mmCIF file of all heavy atoms in Angstrom:
data_model
loop_
_atom_site.group_PDB
_atom_site.id
_atom_site.type_symbol
_atom_site.label_atom_id
_atom_site.label_comp_id
_atom_site.label_asym_id
_atom_site.label_seq_id
_atom_site.Cartn_x
_atom_site.Cartn_y
_atom_site.Cartn_z
ATOM 1 N N GLY A 1 -25.790 -27.185 -7.831
ATOM 2 C CA GLY A 1 -24.817 -26.986 -8.905
ATOM 3 C C GLY A 1 -23.694 -26.031 -8.574
ATOM 4 O O GLY A 1 -23.024 -25.517 -9.476
ATOM 5 N N ILE A 2 -23.454 -25.794 -7.264
ATOM 6 C CA ILE A 2 -22.357 -24.912 -6.829
ATOM 7 C C ILE A 2 -21.392 -25.747 -5.976
ATOM 8 O O ILE A 2 -21.523 -25.784 -4.743
ATOM 9 C CB ILE A 2 -22.871 -23.706 -6.023
ATOM 10 C CG1 ILE A 2 -24.030 -23.021 -6.734
ATOM 11 C CG2 ILE A 2 -21.734 -22.712 -5.762
ATOM 12 C CD1 ILE A 2 -23.664 -22.350 -8.031
ATOM 13 N N PRO A 3 -20.413 -26.415 -6.598
ATOM 14 C CA PRO A 3 -19.501 -27.263 -5.826
ATOM 15 C C PRO A 3 -18.387 -26.500 -5.119
ATOM 16 O O PRO A 3 -17.695 -27.063 -4.274
ATOM 17 C CB PRO A 3 -18.916 -28.191 -6.891
ATOM 18 C CG PRO A 3 -18.952 -27.377 -8.149
ATOM 19 C CD PRO A 3 -20.172 -26.504 -8.049
ATOM 20 N N HIS A 4 -18.214 -25.220 -5.449
ATOM 21 C CA HIS A 4 -17.115 -24.449 -4.878
ATOM 22 C C HIS A 4 -17.643 -23.419 -3.873
ATOM 23 O O HIS A 4 -18.335 -22.472 -4.247
ATOM 24 C CB HIS A 4 -16.321 -23.734 -5.978
ATOM 25 C CG HIS A 4 -15.816 -24.647 -7.045
ATOM 26 N ND1 HIS A 4 -14.777 -25.534 -6.848
ATOM 27 C CD2 HIS A 4 -16.230 -24.826 -8.322
ATOM 28 C CE1 HIS A 4 -14.571 -26.218 -7.951
ATOM 29 N NE2 HIS A 4 -15.429 -25.809 -8.867
ATOM 30 N N LEU A 5 -17.310 -23.628 -2.602
ATOM 31 C CA LEU A 5 -17.678 -22.690 -1.538
ATOM 32 C C LEU A 5 -16.414 -22.076 -0.964
ATOM 33 O O LEU A 5 -15.542 -22.773 -0.451
ATOM 34 C CB LEU A 5 -18.457 -23.404 -0.436
ATOM 35 C CG LEU A 5 -18.739 -22.593 0.837
ATOM 36 C CD1 LEU A 5 -19.607 -21.381 0.530
ATOM 37 C CD2 LEU A 5 -19.402 -23.465 1.902
ATOM 38 N N GLU A 6 -16.314 -20.762 -1.070
ATOM 39 C CA GLU A 6 -15.212 -20.019 -0.459
ATOM 40 C C GLU A 6 -15.750 -19.372 0.806
ATOM 41 O O GLU A 6 -16.676 -18.553 0.756
ATOM 42 C CB GLU A 6 -14.674 -18.957 -1.413
ATOM 43 C CG GLU A 6 -13.922 -19.498 -2.604
ATOM 44 C CD GLU A 6 -12.527 -19.995 -2.225
ATOM 45 O OE1 GLU A 6 -11.997 -19.547 -1.187
ATOM 46 O OE2 GLU A 6 -11.980 -20.829 -2.974
ATOM 47 N N LEU A 7 -15.178 -19.740 1.952
ATOM 48 C CA LEU A 7 -15.674 -19.251 3.226
ATOM 49 C C LEU A 7 -14.960 -17.956 3.614
ATOM 50 O O LEU A 7 -13.733 -17.862 3.529
ATOM 51 C CB LEU A 7 -15.473 -20.305 4.311
ATOM 52 C CG LEU A 7 -16.405 -20.220 5.525
ATOM 53 C CD1 LEU A 7 -17.852 -20.386 5.091
ATOM 54 C CD2 LEU A 7 -16.038 -21.261 6.547
ATOM 55 N N LEU A 8 -15.738 -16.983 4.030
ATOM 56 C CA LEU A 8 -15.196 -15.683 4.412
ATOM 57 C C LEU A 8 -15.504 -15.436 5.885
ATOM 58 O O LEU A 8 -16.676 -15.342 6.265
ATOM 59 C CB LEU A 8 -15.818 -14.584 3.551
ATOM 60 C CG LEU A 8 -15.296 -13.161 3.732
ATOM 61 C CD1 LEU A 8 -13.825 -13.081 3.338
ATOM 62 C CD2 LEU A 8 -16.114 -12.196 2.886
ATOM 63 N N LYS A 9 -14.494 -15.362 6.709
ATOM 64 C CA LYS A 9 -14.685 -15.131 8.145
ATOM 65 C C LYS A 9 -15.020 -13.671 8.387
ATOM 66 O O LYS A 9 -14.300 -12.771 7.960
ATOM 67 C CB LYS A 9 -13.432 -15.515 8.928
ATOM 68 C CG LYS A 9 -13.618 -15.451 10.440
ATOM 69 C CD LYS A 9 -12.421 -16.001 11.170
ATOM 70 C CE LYS A 9 -12.599 -15.929 12.677
ATOM 71 N NZ LYS A 9 -13.763 -16.717 13.136
ATOM 72 N N PHE A 10 -16.129 -13.434 9.068
ATOM 73 C CA PHE A 10 -16.529 -12.060 9.359
ATOM 74 C C PHE A 10 -15.870 -11.621 10.659
ATOM 75 O O PHE A 10 -16.353 -11.888 11.752
ATOM 76 C CB PHE A 10 -18.049 -11.935 9.464
ATOM 77 C CG PHE A 10 -18.509 -10.505 9.492
ATOM 78 C CD1 PHE A 10 -18.652 -9.780 8.321
ATOM 79 C CD2 PHE A 10 -18.786 -9.871 10.687
ATOM 80 C CE1 PHE A 10 -19.060 -8.456 8.351
ATOM 81 C CE2 PHE A 10 -19.197 -8.548 10.726
ATOM 82 C CZ PHE A 10 -19.321 -7.843 9.550
ATOM 83 N N ASP A 11 -14.710 -10.958 10.531
ATOM 84 C CA ASP A 11 -13.970 -10.469 11.687
ATOM 85 C C ASP A 11 -13.704 -8.971 11.520
ATOM 86 O O ASP A 11 -14.237 -8.329 10.616
ATOM 87 C CB ASP A 11 -12.659 -11.251 11.845
ATOM 88 C CG ASP A 11 -11.824 -11.271 10.568
ATOM 89 O OD1 ASP A 11 -12.058 -10.403 9.676
ATOM 90 O OD2 ASP A 11 -10.943 -12.134 10.433
ATOM 91 N N ARG A 12 -12.869 -8.421 12.393
ATOM 92 C CA ARG A 12 -12.600 -6.976 12.336
ATOM 93 C C ARG A 12 -11.970 -6.564 11.010
ATOM 94 O O ARG A 12 -12.299 -5.512 10.456
ATOM 95 C CB ARG A 12 -11.682 -6.577 13.499
ATOM 96 C CG ARG A 12 -12.370 -6.581 14.855
ATOM 97 C CD ARG A 12 -11.430 -6.064 15.933
ATOM 98 N NE ARG A 12 -12.077 -6.030 17.243
ATOM 99 C CZ ARG A 12 -11.486 -5.609 18.354
ATOM 100 N NH1 ARG A 12 -10.224 -5.167 18.305
ATOM 101 N NH2 ARG A 12 -12.142 -5.610 19.503
ATOM 102 N N LYS A 13 -11.068 -7.406 10.519
ATOM 103 C CA LYS A 13 -10.395 -7.088 9.259
ATOM 104 C C LYS A 13 -11.395 -7.027 8.111
ATOM 105 O O LYS A 13 -11.395 -6.080 7.310
ATOM 106 C CB LYS A 13 -9.317 -8.132 8.962
ATOM 107 C CG LYS A 13 -8.547 -7.855 7.677
ATOM 108 C CD LYS A 13 -7.483 -8.915 7.435
ATOM 109 C CE LYS A 13 -6.752 -8.644 6.116
ATOM 110 N NZ LYS A 13 -5.722 -9.690 5.845
ATOM 111 N N THR A 14 -12.255 -8.040 8.028
ATOM 112 C CA THR A 14 -13.257 -8.060 6.961
ATOM 113 C C THR A 14 -14.215 -6.890 7.099
ATOM 114 O O THR A 14 -14.554 -6.221 6.117
ATOM 115 C CB THR A 14 -14.036 -9.383 7.000
ATOM 116 O OG1 THR A 14 -13.129 -10.480 6.892
ATOM 117 C CG2 THR A 14 -15.044 -9.463 5.871
ATOM 118 N N ALA A 15 -14.650 -6.629 8.340
ATOM 119 C CA ALA A 15 -15.630 -5.571 8.576
ATOM 120 C C ALA A 15 -15.072 -4.176 8.293
ATOM 121 O O ALA A 15 -15.837 -3.249 8.028
ATOM 122 C CB ALA A 15 -16.135 -5.643 10.010
ATOM 123 N N SER A 16 -13.752 -4.020 8.348
ATOM 124 C CA SER A 16 -13.148 -2.703 8.157
ATOM 125 C C SER A 16 -12.581 -2.484 6.760
ATOM 126 O O SER A 16 -12.041 -1.415 6.466
ATOM 127 C CB SER A 16 -12.035 -2.478 9.191
ATOM 128 O OG SER A 16 -11.001 -3.435 9.025
ATOM 129 N N THR A 17 -12.696 -3.477 5.887
ATOM 130 C CA THR A 17 -12.156 -3.362 4.529
ATOM 131 C C THR A 17 -13.093 -2.532 3.654
ATOM 132 O O THR A 17 -14.278 -2.868 3.525
ATOM 133 C CB THR A 17 -11.970 -4.748 3.888
ATOM 134 O OG1 THR A 17 -11.113 -5.540 4.710
ATOM 135 C CG2 THR A 17 -11.374 -4.620 2.497
ATOM 136 N N PRO A 18 -12.610 -1.462 3.011
ATOM 137 C CA PRO A 18 -13.454 -0.657 2.124
ATOM 138 C C PRO A 18 -13.994 -1.518 0.975
ATOM 139 O O PRO A 18 -13.318 -2.445 0.513
ATOM 140 C CB PRO A 18 -12.502 0.423 1.601
ATOM 141 C CG PRO A 18 -11.423 0.500 2.633
ATOM 142 C CD PRO A 18 -11.247 -0.891 3.137
ATOM 143 N N PRO A 19 -15.197 -1.232 0.489
ATOM 144 C CA PRO A 19 -15.808 -2.061 -0.549
ATOM 145 C C PRO A 19 -14.963 -2.193 -1.816
ATOM 146 O O PRO A 19 -14.863 -3.285 -2.382
ATOM 147 C CB PRO A 19 -17.119 -1.332 -0.852
ATOM 148 C CG PRO A 19 -17.417 -0.557 0.368
ATOM 149 C CD PRO A 19 -16.092 -0.169 0.953
ATOM 150 N N ASP A 20 -14.346 -1.097 -2.268
ATOM 151 C CA ASP A 20 -13.555 -1.171 -3.499
ATOM 152 C C ASP A 20 -12.324 -2.055 -3.330
ATOM 153 O O ASP A 20 -11.946 -2.808 -4.234
ATOM 154 C CB ASP A 20 -13.159 0.226 -3.979
ATOM 155 C CG ASP A 20 -12.419 1.032 -2.926
ATOM 156 O OD1 ASP A 20 -12.450 0.645 -1.728
ATOM 157 O OD2 ASP A 20 -11.802 2.059 -3.284
ATOM 158 N N GLN A 21 -11.703 -2.009 -2.150
ATOM 159 C CA GLN A 21 -10.546 -2.861 -1.879
ATOM 160 C C GLN A 21 -10.968 -4.334 -1.798
ATOM 161 O O GLN A 21 -10.288 -5.209 -2.322
ATOM 162 C CB GLN A 21 -9.868 -2.445 -0.576
ATOM 163 C CG GLN A 21 -8.615 -3.253 -0.257
ATOM 164 C CD GLN A 21 -7.997 -2.861 1.080
ATOM 165 O OE1 GLN A 21 -8.203 -1.737 1.569
ATOM 166 N NE2 GLN A 21 -7.248 -3.775 1.681
ATOM 167 N N PHE A 22 -12.096 -4.590 -1.138
ATOM 168 C CA PHE A 22 -12.611 -5.953 -1.041
ATOM 169 C C PHE A 22 -12.905 -6.510 -2.434
ATOM 170 O O PHE A 22 -12.554 -7.650 -2.752
ATOM 171 C CB PHE A 22 -13.884 -5.970 -0.198
ATOM 172 C CG PHE A 22 -14.540 -7.314 -0.088
ATOM 173 C CD1 PHE A 22 -14.118 -8.229 0.874
ATOM 174 C CD2 PHE A 22 -15.566 -7.681 -0.954
ATOM 175 C CE1 PHE A 22 -14.722 -9.479 0.970
ATOM 176 C CE2 PHE A 22 -16.158 -8.923 -0.856
ATOM 177 C CZ PHE A 22 -15.744 -9.825 0.104
ATOM 178 N N PHE A 23 -13.514 -5.687 -3.279
ATOM 179 C CA PHE A 23 -13.853 -6.125 -4.632
ATOM 180 C C PHE A 23 -12.588 -6.457 -5.423
ATOM 181 O O PHE A 23 -12.508 -7.499 -6.080
ATOM 182 C CB PHE A 23 -14.650 -5.031 -5.348
ATOM 183 C CG PHE A 23 -15.149 -5.427 -6.714
ATOM 184 C CD1 PHE A 23 -16.341 -6.114 -6.860
ATOM 185 C CD2 PHE A 23 -14.409 -5.124 -7.851
ATOM 186 C CE1 PHE A 23 -16.798 -6.490 -8.113
ATOM 187 C CE2 PHE A 23 -14.850 -5.487 -9.114
ATOM 188 C CZ PHE A 23 -16.054 -6.177 -9.243
ATOM 189 N N THR A 24 -11.601 -5.593 -5.334
ATOM 190 C CA THR A 24 -10.362 -5.803 -6.101
ATOM 191 C C THR A 24 -9.568 -6.994 -5.569
ATOM 192 O O THR A 24 -9.159 -7.868 -6.335
ATOM 193 C CB THR A 24 -9.489 -4.536 -6.062
ATOM 194 O OG1 THR A 24 -10.208 -3.450 -6.656
ATOM 195 C CG2 THR A 24 -8.189 -4.749 -6.825
ATOM 196 N N ASP A 25 -9.345 -7.034 -4.255
ATOM 197 C CA ASP A 25 -8.487 -8.062 -3.673
ATOM 198 C C ASP A 25 -9.132 -9.441 -3.656
ATOM 199 O O ASP A 25 -8.491 -10.445 -4.022
ATOM 200 C CB ASP A 25 -8.082 -7.670 -2.243
ATOM 201 C CG ASP A 25 -7.201 -6.446 -2.193
ATOM 202 O OD1 ASP A 25 -6.687 -6.049 -3.267
ATOM 203 O OD2 ASP A 25 -7.023 -5.882 -1.100
ATOM 204 N N MET A 26 -10.378 -9.513 -3.225
ATOM 205 C CA MET A 26 -11.022 -10.812 -3.039
ATOM 206 C C MET A 26 -11.711 -11.307 -4.302
ATOM 207 O O MET A 26 -11.478 -12.428 -4.766
ATOM 208 C CB MET A 26 -12.032 -10.732 -1.887
ATOM 209 C CG MET A 26 -12.812 -12.013 -1.637
ATOM 210 S SD MET A 26 -11.784 -13.422 -1.156
ATOM 211 C CE MET A 26 -11.261 -12.869 0.488
ATOM 212 N N ILE A 27 -12.562 -10.470 -4.879
ATOM 213 C CA ILE A 27 -13.413 -10.921 -5.976
ATOM 214 C C ILE A 27 -12.653 -11.009 -7.298
ATOM 215 O O ILE A 27 -12.780 -11.990 -8.043
ATOM 216 C CB ILE A 27 -14.641 -9.999 -6.097
ATOM 217 C CG1 ILE A 27 -15.518 -10.167 -4.852
ATOM 218 C CG2 ILE A 27 -15.440 -10.292 -7.365
ATOM 219 C CD1 ILE A 27 -16.664 -9.191 -4.748
ATOM 220 N N VAL A 28 -11.812 -9.989 -7.580
ATOM 221 C CA VAL A 28 -11.110 -9.969 -8.862
ATOM 222 C C VAL A 28 -9.792 -10.742 -8.807
ATOM 223 O O VAL A 28 -9.571 -11.658 -9.603
ATOM 224 C CB VAL A 28 -10.860 -8.508 -9.316
ATOM 225 C CG1 VAL A 28 -10.063 -8.491 -10.615
ATOM 226 C CG2 VAL A 28 -12.182 -7.774 -9.496
ATOM 227 N N ARG A 29 -8.926 -10.396 -7.851
ATOM 228 C CA ARG A 29 -7.592 -11.008 -7.837
ATOM 229 C C ARG A 29 -7.591 -12.438 -7.309
ATOM 230 O O ARG A 29 -7.010 -13.336 -7.929
ATOM 231 C CB ARG A 29 -6.641 -10.142 -7.005
ATOM 232 C CG ARG A 29 -6.321 -8.797 -7.655
ATOM 233 C CD ARG A 29 -5.431 -7.944 -6.771
ATOM 234 N NE ARG A 29 -5.152 -6.650 -7.386
ATOM 235 C CZ ARG A 29 -4.599 -5.616 -6.746
ATOM 236 N NH1 ARG A 29 -4.275 -5.728 -5.444
ATOM 237 N NH2 ARG A 29 -4.373 -4.482 -7.378
ATOM 238 N N LYS A 30 -8.216 -12.656 -6.167
ATOM 239 C CA LYS A 30 -8.165 -13.993 -5.570
ATOM 240 C C LYS A 30 -9.074 -14.983 -6.279
ATOM 241 O O LYS A 30 -8.655 -16.087 -6.630
ATOM 242 C CB LYS A 30 -8.527 -13.934 -4.080
ATOM 243 C CG LYS A 30 -8.440 -15.298 -3.405
ATOM 244 C CD LYS A 30 -8.722 -15.230 -1.910
ATOM 245 C CE LYS A 30 -8.627 -16.627 -1.292
ATOM 246 N NZ LYS A 30 -8.887 -16.590 0.180
ATOM 247 N N LEU A 31 -10.325 -14.595 -6.495
ATOM 248 C CA LEU A 31 -11.298 -15.542 -7.053
ATOM 249 C C LEU A 31 -11.480 -15.406 -8.559
ATOM 250 O O LEU A 31 -12.185 -16.198 -9.176
ATOM 251 C CB LEU A 31 -12.644 -15.379 -6.340
ATOM 252 C CG LEU A 31 -12.592 -15.670 -4.841
ATOM 253 C CD1 LEU A 31 -13.939 -15.415 -4.181
ATOM 254 C CD2 LEU A 31 -12.153 -17.103 -4.590
ATOM 255 N N LYS A 32 -10.851 -14.384 -9.139
ATOM 256 C CA LYS A 32 -10.819 -14.206 -10.597
ATOM 257 C C LYS A 32 -12.212 -14.231 -11.221
ATOM 258 O O LYS A 32 -12.469 -14.921 -12.210
ATOM 259 C CB LYS A 32 -9.922 -15.266 -11.244
ATOM 260 C CG LYS A 32 -8.495 -15.241 -10.697
ATOM 261 C CD LYS A 32 -7.550 -16.037 -11.538
ATOM 262 C CE LYS A 32 -6.132 -16.022 -10.960
ATOM 263 N NZ LYS A 32 -5.593 -14.668 -10.804
ATOM 264 N N ALA A 33 -13.111 -13.471 -10.623
ATOM 265 C CA ALA A 33 -14.481 -13.423 -11.125
ATOM 266 C C ALA A 33 -14.554 -12.693 -12.461
ATOM 267 O O ALA A 33 -13.971 -11.621 -12.634
ATOM 268 C CB ALA A 33 -15.385 -12.738 -10.111
ATOM 269 N N CYS A 34 -15.249 -13.299 -13.403
ATOM 270 C CA CYS A 34 -15.532 -12.622 -14.666
ATOM 271 C C CYS A 34 -16.973 -12.123 -14.690
ATOM 272 O O CYS A 34 -17.315 -11.219 -15.451
ATOM 273 C CB CYS A 34 -15.248 -13.527 -15.856
ATOM 274 S SG CYS A 34 -16.186 -15.072 -15.871
ATOM 275 N N GLU A 35 -17.824 -12.741 -13.832
ATOM 276 C CA GLU A 35 -19.208 -12.310 -13.676
ATOM 277 C C GLU A 35 -19.621 -12.508 -12.221
ATOM 278 O O GLU A 35 -19.072 -13.360 -11.520
ATOM 279 C CB GLU A 35 -20.154 -13.109 -14.588
ATOM 280 C CG GLU A 35 -19.876 -12.920 -16.065
ATOM 281 C CD GLU A 35 -20.925 -13.575 -16.963
ATOM 282 O OE1 GLU A 35 -22.024 -13.902 -16.449
ATOM 283 O OE2 GLU A 35 -20.653 -13.747 -18.164
ATOM 284 N N MET A 36 -20.599 -11.712 -11.791
ATOM 285 C CA MET A 36 -21.172 -11.862 -10.455
ATOM 286 C C MET A 36 -22.692 -11.897 -10.554
ATOM 287 O O MET A 36 -23.282 -11.206 -11.387
ATOM 288 C CB MET A 36 -20.773 -10.705 -9.535
ATOM 289 C CG MET A 36 -19.396 -10.834 -8.917
ATOM 290 S SD MET A 36 -19.124 -9.547 -7.650
ATOM 291 C CE MET A 36 -20.154 -10.151 -6.295
ATOM 292 N N VAL A 37 -23.302 -12.711 -9.699
ATOM 293 C CA VAL A 37 -24.757 -12.784 -9.613
ATOM 294 C C VAL A 37 -25.141 -12.415 -8.185
ATOM 295 O O VAL A 37 -24.687 -13.054 -7.234
ATOM 296 C CB VAL A 37 -25.273 -14.193 -9.951
ATOM 297 C CG1 VAL A 37 -26.793 -14.234 -9.838
ATOM 298 C CG2 VAL A 37 -24.825 -14.606 -11.353
ATOM 299 N N VAL A 38 -25.961 -11.381 -8.024
ATOM 300 C CA VAL A 38 -26.312 -10.893 -6.685
ATOM 301 C C VAL A 38 -27.800 -10.573 -6.608
ATOM 302 O O VAL A 38 -28.485 -10.459 -7.633
ATOM 303 C CB VAL A 38 -25.498 -9.633 -6.316
ATOM 304 C CG1 VAL A 38 -24.011 -9.941 -6.260
ATOM 305 C CG2 VAL A 38 -25.783 -8.497 -7.302
ATOM 306 N N GLY A 39 -28.288 -10.406 -5.389
ATOM 307 C CA GLY A 39 -29.642 -9.933 -5.170
ATOM 308 C C GLY A 39 -29.666 -8.417 -5.121
ATOM 309 O O GLY A 39 -28.613 -7.772 -5.004
ATOM 310 N N PRO A 40 -30.837 -7.791 -5.182
ATOM 311 C CA PRO A 40 -30.926 -6.326 -5.197
ATOM 312 C C PRO A 40 -30.476 -5.668 -3.899
ATOM 313 O O PRO A 40 -30.144 -4.477 -3.886
ATOM 314 C CB PRO A 40 -32.409 -6.054 -5.461
ATOM 315 C CG PRO A 40 -33.108 -7.313 -5.046
ATOM 316 C CD PRO A 40 -32.157 -8.427 -5.314
ATOM 317 N N LYS A 41 -30.427 -6.443 -2.784
ATOM 318 C CA LYS A 41 -30.040 -5.868 -1.495
ATOM 319 C C LYS A 41 -28.598 -6.224 -1.122
ATOM 320 O O LYS A 41 -28.232 -6.179 0.050
ATOM 321 C CB LYS A 41 -30.992 -6.344 -0.401
ATOM 322 C CG LYS A 41 -32.416 -5.860 -0.576
ATOM 323 C CD LYS A 41 -33.307 -6.314 0.568
ATOM 324 C CE LYS A 41 -34.740 -5.826 0.403
ATOM 325 N NZ LYS A 41 -35.609 -6.270 1.531
ATOM 326 N N VAL A 42 -27.773 -6.529 -2.098
ATOM 327 C CA VAL A 42 -26.385 -6.894 -1.824
ATOM 328 C C VAL A 42 -25.672 -5.776 -1.051
ATOM 329 O O VAL A 42 -25.916 -4.588 -1.278
ATOM 330 C CB VAL A 42 -25.636 -7.190 -3.150
ATOM 331 C CG1 VAL A 42 -25.567 -5.951 -4.036
ATOM 332 C CG2 VAL A 42 -24.233 -7.730 -2.879
ATOM 333 N N ALA A 43 -24.814 -6.173 -0.094
ATOM 334 C CA ALA A 43 -24.049 -5.205 0.692
ATOM 335 C C ALA A 43 -22.752 -5.855 1.135
ATOM 336 O O ALA A 43 -22.758 -6.996 1.599
ATOM 337 C CB ALA A 43 -24.845 -4.723 1.894
ATOM 338 N N PHE A 44 -21.642 -5.151 0.998
ATOM 339 C CA PHE A 44 -20.349 -5.708 1.390
ATOM 340 C C PHE A 44 -19.397 -4.565 1.734
ATOM 341 O O PHE A 44 -19.643 -3.403 1.414
ATOM 342 C CB PHE A 44 -19.756 -6.571 0.267
ATOM 343 C CG PHE A 44 -19.512 -5.823 -1.029
ATOM 344 C CD1 PHE A 44 -18.265 -5.301 -1.314
ATOM 345 C CD2 PHE A 44 -20.536 -5.638 -1.946
ATOM 346 C CE1 PHE A 44 -18.037 -4.605 -2.490
ATOM 347 C CE2 PHE A 44 -20.317 -4.943 -3.125
ATOM 348 C CZ PHE A 44 -19.069 -4.431 -3.404
ATOM 349 N N GLY A 45 -18.301 -4.927 2.406
ATOM 350 C CA GLY A 45 -17.305 -3.931 2.767
ATOM 351 C C GLY A 45 -17.667 -3.146 4.010
ATOM 352 O O GLY A 45 -18.709 -3.366 4.640
ATOM 353 N N LYS A 46 -16.790 -2.236 4.386
ATOM 354 C CA LYS A 46 -16.952 -1.448 5.599
ATOM 355 C C LYS A 46 -18.297 -0.735 5.636
ATOM 356 O O LYS A 46 -18.698 -0.087 4.660
ATOM 357 C CB LYS A 46 -15.816 -0.423 5.692
ATOM 358 C CG LYS A 46 -15.802 0.370 6.987
ATOM 359 C CD LYS A 46 -14.612 1.315 7.027
ATOM 360 C CE LYS A 46 -14.591 2.117 8.331
ATOM 361 N NZ LYS A 46 -13.430 3.043 8.380
ATOM 362 N N ASN A 47 -18.983 -0.879 6.778
ATOM 363 C CA ASN A 47 -20.297 -0.267 6.996
ATOM 364 C C ASN A 47 -21.335 -0.702 5.954
ATOM 365 O O ASN A 47 -22.305 0.014 5.698
ATOM 366 C CB ASN A 47 -20.187 1.269 7.002
ATOM 367 C CG ASN A 47 -19.304 1.775 8.114
ATOM 368 O OD1 ASN A 47 -19.276 1.201 9.205
ATOM 369 N ND2 ASN A 47 -18.566 2.835 7.849
#
């Protein structure tokens, strides 16, 4: 039931993006998320 797949290339730019910037730019502005569903071990952004 998930017909929309957005592919994210894991490169230097992605790996060096701070989590708050990634959340704002990718999740909120680009993909316009109103809700997120994650597992307890979710991890994203630099380090």
Side-chain angles (χ1 to χ4, degrees):
I2 311 293
H4 305 288
L5 172 62
E6 290 285 337
L7 204 61
L8 184 63
K9 187 173 180 61
F10 191 82
D11 53 19
R12 287 185 179 181
K13 181 180 178 181
T14 303
S16 62
T17 303
D20 55 345
Q21 182 183 336
F22 177 85
F23 185 85
T24 299
D25 294 346
M26 178 62 69
I27 293 172
V28 177
R29 291 177 181 168
K30 182 177 180 179
L31 298 177
K32 303 193 181 303
C34 59
E35 297 187 17
M36 279 189 74
V37 179
V38 297
K41 295 182 180 180
V42 63
F44 60 96
K46 186 177 180 180
N47 298 325

